[in-house]
Amino acid sequence: MAATTPPKVLFEHEGVFIHSSPDESEGQDLISGFLRIIDKDGETLVEYKPLEDADPSNILCACKDSSSVVEWTQSSEENPHRPIDHQLSYETEWDMINAVSFRRKVHAHGDGGSNHTNDRNRWAFSFNVCDLRSITVKCEGWSYITFHLKDGTALPAIHFHQGGSTAFLDSLRKSVQINECPDDESVLIVSTYSKTFSQSFENLLDDTNYGFVQKFKKDPYTTTLGGFSKVTNYLFDAFRAPELECHQRPAEEVADLLGELIPGLEINQQEEPGFEVITRLDLGPRPEVQRRGPVTMEEWAKYQDSEGRITNVPHLKDLILKGGLCHALRREAWKFLLCYFPWNSTHEERKLLQKRKTDEYFRMKLQWKSVSEEQERRNSRLRDYRSLIEKDVNRTDRNNKFYEGLDNPGLILLHDILMTYCMYDFDLGYVQGMSDLLSPILFVMENEVDAFWCFVSFMDEVHENFEEQMQGMKTQLIQLSTLLRLLDLAFWNYLEAQDSGHLYFCFRWLLIRFKRELHFQDVLRLWEVMWTRLPCQNFHLLVCCAILDSEKQKIMDRKYGFNEILKHINELSMKLDIEEILSKSEAICMQIKNCKDLPHSVSEILGLNTVTEPSAALETSEYGILESPQTSPRSTHRQDHVVSNGHSHLKETTHNGCKVAFIS
């Protein structure tokens, strides 16, 4: 039998008190104890225990059970199970599989615990943070907090006579999302989806084999659907509860369930204000698209002038779209595609830029390298980032020669770049999955500094995918649904009928840009094509549509249901033909552009109705895409900050979609 992993204490504070009576009567006791946050078998628990309570048998413990009943009793006269105000009943939750209840541990030797002489032990409690609905924080000369659980239970107020409430809440925020209630500033609303979302990346990257549905149902935490994130597991359990397995849930109920998982994701609710109903349109014939060979070193050289400036950028991007780049060219060309190098910079200007960026990189790297062990013990966020990075680095592309073996220098660089990125963007820090985005870039660059700044540019593009609110993922799923309805309404309706209209089986595709769906070399090809930002914006969504278009007939002819669709999409991994996909994706784009009366929402998604005043510095590609800045306000601001930090003699301009900064 495998040894049980001992609980890890994430936070501990002594000198917190429970008042035995809610009023200020003279005879009330102050029960002194310690408050802990612990990690036990991957679950986060909050635990209070009186200091004099040496018997752990009476502590309430979390157990995996669907009853969601709390057996904590304060006394026979008092009823702690008072309901929470209805206005606080909303919740933002991802973890829908593991309903957790609380019950006392079974006493050894069968004794019931009623003979225990220490009356203080009845105040001990423990609960899983997933079952926490809200926290009330008040102050009466000192702070005290009350935990409200999702079943209506209110636990005894914890009084921080000696301080520490802020530190406790800060530590708790690492496991759950905490937001102020708009109606009552003393109430904090707790949402557990963000921690679950972060944990989903681990499973997203870990699992490679499909587990049978029955095995999955019995143990969803260890058996995932072939590498789909835990998020998909939660959807599965929500949509296919055992008692409803043979019955299709109403579409509106599915929409409600999905809304609980991802607030703001309204794919199916067409009556929602502002939702554009897309009816069947005649898109016309889909044109044939021919691919060409990759751009060679000789071809690339023809687009440089004597000082190294890249000329006729739109045409060069068209060639990259049609065929990609030869591998020998990627190290140089990717720096331009990722806006690390401005297209109109000279050789000398790029040398100065690299020197400045090198200095800036190593200043940031020094920040975390110079943190002592003692300092890190007091910096839990940095400690958590480091732990996640070390865990992920050791399993990222280990079959690739660049990263295989022990003490591989590629792994060290991967680790150091990700740690330095935490200094660059400490608010985001590191989220599981980011190592997958860095790995191909470092493989191509073979240089720590160049790889870092190219990675920064890529992260600016996909940053919202990894934020706790997951706004990027919400938006992309809604946009993908809109495009699929336009392209094939019958197929979209079929997916809807199978509870799959949310398109959540595409989650991993969008999250890490098909990194786990394609062979490594094919990932390089796809990414460099996407970085041209041709033939339209959000081209990666059309890549999703192209893959689904190739599989739709099989899915419908074989009458695949919810389970079979998940399994089928998952098993496409490493079986996709990148050239065929890119050809079909471009053809779909051309077909949509040729459509008359194109819905406004589709034009917005693909950037087909952008009206921009042309200028001498802007050129148009053959697809009618103006080579103008594609960066978001966030990206522009961040780049402005980088280029202006500590330098007073900088000249800035914008050209071909990139922020340009030169030392004058």
Side-chain angles (χ1 to χ4, degrees):
M1 181 181 294
T4 303
T5 304
K8 178 182 178 182
V9 178
L10 306 177
F11 172 88
E12 183 173 35
H13 184 68
E14 290 189 12
V16 293
F17 298 83
I18 289 179
H19 295 187
S20 62
S21 174
D23 56 27
E24 297 299 323
S25 59
E26 294 182 2
Q28 77 167 339
D29 291 331
L30 298 183
I31 295 89
S32 175
F34 58 80
L35 188 65
R36 285 177 175 167
I37 302 176
I38 61 174
D39 185 328
K40 184 177 182 182
D41 298 328
E43 296 184 347
T44 303
L45 310 178
V46 174
E47 167 186 286
Y48 173 82
K49 183 178 179 182
L51 290 175
E52 297 179 15
D53 181 10
D55 181 5
S57 62
N58 287 319
I59 296 180
L60 301 177
C61 62
C63 57
K64 295 178 183 176
D65 178 32
S66 60
S67 61
S68 294
V69 175
V70 178
E71 295 184 9
W72 170 73
T73 55
Q74 183 174 344
S75 70
S76 58
E77 294 82 20
E78 298 176 7
N79 178 19
H81 299 265
R82 62 178 184 271
I84 299 175
D85 186 35
H86 288 296
Q87 68 182 356
L88 302 180
S89 64
Y90 67 89
E91 58 191 75
T92 309
E93 182 182 12
W94 281 81
D95 194 344
M96 298 181 66
I97 283 181
N98 214 16
V100 179
S101 69
F102 301 84
R103 65 186 179 201
R104 297 186 184 277
K105 291 183 178 179
V106 178
H107 292 270
H109 312 300
D111 57 338
S114 59
N115 297 325
H116 197 284
T117 58
N118 189 353
D119 187 55
R120 299 166 72 91
N121 65 6
R122 64 192 175 98
W123 299 101
F125 62 79
S126 174
F127 60 85
N128 192 310
V129 295
C130 292
D131 286 79
L132 182 59
R133 181 188 296 276
S134 64
I135 304 170
T136 302
V137 182
K138 294 189 177 180
C139 184
E140 293 182 356
W142 62 84
S143 296
Y144 67 94
I145 63 178
T146 305
F147 300 109
H148 301 271
L149 305 182
K150 291 177 181 176
D151 67 350
T153 302
L155 297 175
I158 301 295
H159 295 256
F160 293 81
H161 291 279
Q162 302 170 11
S165 61
T166 301
F168 168 76
L169 291 173
D170 286 345
S171 182
L172 188 61
R173 282 187 174 93
K174 297 166 189 172
S175 301
V176 293
Q177 179 80 3
I178 299 178
N179 296 301
E180 238 182 50
C181 174
D183 300 320
D184 187 348
E185 62 181 14
S186 68
V187 176
L188 302 176
I189 305 300
V190 179
S191 308
T192 56
Y193 70 88
S194 60
K195 176 175 171 62
T196 301
F197 181 64
S198 296
Q199 289 175 336
S200 75
F201 291 115
E202 177 177 350
N203 289 270
L204 170 75
L205 307 178
D206 256 349
D207 304 312
T208 55
N209 298 315
Y210 174 77
F212 290 104
V213 172
Q214 293 304 318
K215 181 181 177 184
F216 163 77
K217 285 184 179 180
K218 292 178 182 177
D219 192 0
Y221 278 88
T222 57
T223 308
T224 61
L225 290 178
F228 280 101
S229 65
K230 276 189 180 179
V231 181
T232 305
N233 300 346
Y234 303 147
L235 283 167
F236 172 87
D237 211 50
F239 296 162
R240 289 291 193 226
E243 68 274 16
L244 299 176
E245 183 174 324
C246 299
H247 305 282
Q248 180 179 316
R249 291 193 174 198
E252 60 272 15
E253 185 176 349
V254 176
D256 291 340
L257 286 169
L258 189 61
E260 291 179 23
L261 288 173
I262 319 177
L265 182 56
E266 294 158 348
I267 293 177
N268 304 326
Q269 299 172 343
Q270 297 192 7
E271 71 280 7
E272 193 70 21
F275 195 101
E276 183 177 14
V277 178
I278 296 178
T279 56
R280 191 184 302 274
L281 294 176
D282 181 13
L283 294 177
R286 185 172 297 171
E288 291 287 331
V289 172
Q290 298 296 324
R291 300 282 297 164
R292 54 155 282 163
V295 176
T296 64
M297 297 287 287
E298 292 75 16
E299 287 178 300
W300 177 267
K302 293 177 182 178
Y303 287 86
Q304 293 192 35
D305 65 17
S306 59
E307 293 185 322
R309 297 182 186 87
I310 307 298
T311 61
N312 200 356
V313 175
H315 188 263
L316 179 58
K317 285 187 175 182
D318 287 338
L319 296 181
I320 298 172
L321 168 68
K322 295 288 188 181
L325 298 160
C326 69
H327 187 70
L329 183 55
R330 284 181 172 134
R331 188 181 306 175
E332 180 179 0
W334 279 24
K335 296 170 188 174
F336 292 92
L337 290 171
L338 286 167
C339 295
Y340 176 35
F341 285 171
W343 292 96
N344 63 345
S345 60
T346 66
H347 291 305
E348 289 303 315
E349 288 167 341
R350 293 197 287 270
K351 287 180 182 178
L352 290 173
L353 180 65
Q354 276 186 303
K355 182 180 184 301
R356 182 170 58 81
K357 290 295 190 181
T358 299
D359 292 342
E360 187 174 352
Y361 173 78
F362 283 107
R363 282 198 302 271
M364 290 187 289
K365 185 174 181 178
L366 184 62
Q367 291 175 2
W368 65 266
K369 293 285 273 186
S370 60
V371 173
S372 66
E373 291 185 9
E374 184 179 352
Q375 286 177 301
E376 190 166 318
R377 281 197 296 270
R378 296 192 295 271
N379 190 332
S380 58
R381 289 186 68 186
L382 181 62
R383 191 168 62 244
D384 291 345
Y385 290 155
R386 186 193 296 272
S387 176
L388 281 173
I389 289 170
E390 290 175 351
K391 185 177 183 180
D392 277 6
V393 162
N394 286 326
R395 60 187 181 185
T396 299
D397 291 324
R398 297 308 299 273
N399 294 327
N400 187 306
K401 290 184 178 180
F402 191 79
Y403 298 109
E404 68 181 3
L406 299 175
D407 300 322
N408 187 299
L411 296 179
I412 297 172
L413 291 179
L414 203 62
H415 170 274
D416 287 2
I417 293 171
L418 292 171
M419 283 296 298
T420 305
Y421 186 81
C422 292
M423 298 296 104
Y424 177 81
D425 188 349
F426 202 81
D427 286 341
L428 178 65
Y430 178 78
V431 181
Q432 288 171 324
M434 287 164 55
S435 62
D436 263 279
L437 300 184
L438 172 60
S439 170
I441 295 175
L442 178 58
F443 171 82
V444 167
M445 294 298 156
E446 296 183 326
N447 176 279
E448 182 177 3
V449 175
D450 292 344
F452 173 81
W453 290 112
C454 289
F455 175 67
V456 164
S457 179
F458 196 14
M459 281 302 302
D460 281 340
E461 182 180 332
V462 300
H463 192 279
E464 288 187 332
N465 286 7
F466 296 93
E467 293 173 356
E468 288 185 345
Q469 300 301 323
M470 295 167 289
Q471 188 56 52
M473 296 305 299
K474 297 177 195 175
T475 300
Q476 289 174 91
L477 286 169
I478 293 171
Q479 291 174 337
L480 179 57
S481 178
T482 300
L483 293 172
L484 194 59
R485 285 201 305 273
L486 172 74
L487 292 169
D488 197 323
L489 189 59
F491 180 49
W492 187 84
N493 285 333
Y494 178 85
L495 294 176
E496 273 285 278
Q498 306 306 319
D499 291 348
S500 299
H502 48 77
L503 306 179
Y504 227 80
F505 45 78
C506 299
F507 184 89
R508 188 173 67 185
W509 297 0
L510 300 172
L511 178 69
I512 50 175
R513 292 296 194 267
F514 306 93
K515 171 62 166 56
R516 291 283 167 149
E517 318 312 316
L518 302 169
H519 292 289
F520 195 85
Q521 290 297 325
D522 290 344
V523 172
L524 308 184
R525 173 73 74 242
L526 174 64
W527 285 7
E528 63 200 13
V529 167
M530 291 193 304
W531 291 335
T532 66
R533 297 171 179 83
L534 295 177
C536 60
Q537 70 181 26
N538 288 316
F539 183 58
H540 66 287
L541 298 180
L542 296 185
V543 173
C544 295
C545 291
I547 297 173
L548 294 176
D549 184 76
S550 298
E551 302 301 321
K552 66 180 180 182
Q553 208 59 49
K554 184 180 296 183
I555 290 173
M556 291 193 291
D557 288 349
R558 298 182 181 181
K559 296 182 172 55
Y560 282 166
F562 183 89
N563 304 339
E564 293 82 8
I565 292 172
L566 282 175
K567 181 177 184 293
H568 179 74
I569 295 298
N570 181 63
E571 290 179 344
L572 296 177
S573 179
M574 302 302 158
K575 298 177 183 177
L576 300 171
D577 184 328
I578 187 59
E579 294 299 325
E580 178 183 326
I581 290 170
L582 288 172
S583 178
K584 179 173 286 191
S585 303
E586 187 179 349
I588 290 173
C589 180
M590 295 172 66
Q591 182 184 27
I592 291 175
K593 286 182 178 182
N594 294 333
C595 175
K596 297 179 180 180
D597 302 320
L598 194 65
H600 177 73
S601 57
V602 174
S603 298
E604 286 287 330
I605 292 168
L606 301 181
L608 304 181
N609 59 350
T610 302
V611 179
T612 308
E613 288 295 327
S615 68
L618 302 177
E619 301 175 81
T620 306
S621 74
E622 68 177 69
Y623 292 93
I625 302 296
L626 206 59
E627 295 296 319
S628 57
Q630 299 290 330
T631 53
S632 65
R634 174 195 171 275
S635 175
T636 302
H637 169 74
R638 291 161 59 84
Q639 292 180 11
D640 284 347
H641 173 75
V642 169
V643 298
S644 62
N645 184 19
H647 298 278
S648 57
H649 302 289
L650 290 179
K651 179 173 64 179
E652 295 186 1
T653 185
T654 303
H655 183 70
N656 290 327
C658 299
K659 178 73 70 174
V660 182
F662 299 123
I663 299 176
S664 59

